[in-house]
Amino acid sequence: MNVGIYIFDEVEILDFAGPFEVFYTAARVYSKSVSSAEKLFEVFTVAESGGTVKARGGLSILPGYAFDRHPKIDILVVPGGVVTAELNKPGVISWVSSQSNAAQLTASVCTGAFILGKAGLLDGRIVTTHWEDIDDLRAMFPEVTVKENARYIDQSDIVTSAGISAGTDMSLHLVARLAGEELAVKTARQMEYHWHRA
């Protein structure tokens, strides 16, 4: 399964790096347990263009792909950060919408939920986001039920998580859902991470 993680200027570092580490580590742990060279997850970043992205704190990231050239995405991850500019880019919203429609599932971390909301992907669903942004998400998308005090919420093809480190918990949940609880537990152990389940 191809895991495509959208990155953009002012993206929150752990929002994208946490899920990247989980899926990459799960693939490594899985490959040790099977005799074939088959890869469980292929993880990559995608940005609007191929240029350098400046994450929060000034961290420079070179995306793996741009919108006009990337592999098929089976699992789309939309992290948060400062998303104000992204919400005002029709090309970004259109890309997220089309990729989500073609993907097996779409997940957001933190304020990435606002991007999913703007793409019309959250209507009628129960979702969550960073505690600091709960009221704003409710105000911007009144047709969405926003739940507080949840690490992540699984709504089948759409999964949302609270802020920053909660994206790592959500990603471990997705590994468990897609490839089994045992692999998720082994992945968390390999990362020396205490998995907070929802």
Side-chain angles (χ1 to χ4, degrees):
M1 286 172 275
N2 286 340
V3 182
I5 303 177
Y6 175 52
I7 58 172
F8 50 91
D9 285 337
E10 294 297 316
V11 65
E12 186 72 51
I13 297 165
L14 198 57
D15 279 16
F16 78 85
F20 194 107
E21 182 70 26
V22 169
F23 286 109
Y24 168 72
T25 301
R28 284 195 302 125
V29 171
Y30 175 82
S31 68
K32 289 179 186 176
S33 66
V34 295
S35 54
S36 74
E38 179 190 355
K39 248 186 166 178
L40 182 61
F41 298 113
E42 187 70 53
V43 194
F44 51 85
T45 54
V46 184
E48 188 175 9
S49 68
T52 300
V53 167
K54 286 278 192 181
R56 297 193 80 174
L59 177 68
S60 296
I61 314 150
L62 188 63
Y65 298 95
F67 280 3
D68 61 353
R69 48 171 181 82
H70 61 78
K72 178 184 182 298
I73 295 174
D74 301 303
I75 303 166
L76 174 65
V77 179
V78 180
V82 181
V83 298
T84 310
E86 305 313 299
L87 295 177
N88 292 307
K89 294 178 180 176
V92 167
I93 301 306
S94 175
W95 181 84
V96 169
S97 177
S98 64
Q99 293 305 311
S100 178
N101 289 335
Q104 181 178 337
L105 65 88
T106 300
S108 69
V109 182
C110 195
T111 52
F114 286 80
I115 297 174
L116 299 193
K118 189 69 181 280
L121 301 172
L122 302 184
D123 294 357
R125 296 182 185 265
I126 302 169
V127 305
T128 195
T129 189
H130 190 282
W131 61 266
E132 200 171 31
D133 301 289
I134 293 281
D135 290 341
D136 287 342
L137 191 63
R138 284 177 177 152
M140 191 175 292
F141 304 105
E143 68 282 5
V144 177
T145 301
V146 185
K147 187 175 177 182
E148 299 179 60
N149 303 315
R151 292 295 281 177
Y152 51 86
I153 296 175
D154 189 328
Q155 292 268 283
S156 185
D157 59 330
I158 300 287
V159 184
T160 57
S161 82
I164 312 178
S165 67
T168 301
D169 296 320
M170 176 191 70
S171 298
L172 286 164
H173 164 75
L174 293 177
V175 169
R177 179 178 141 181
L178 296 166
E181 181 89 2
E182 182 180 358
L183 179 61
V185 169
K186 286 181 177 178
T187 299
R189 177 169 170 73
Q190 181 67 32
M191 292 171 58
E192 299 217 40
Y193 180 79
H194 178 69
W195 178 16
H196 299 84
R197 291 169 172 81

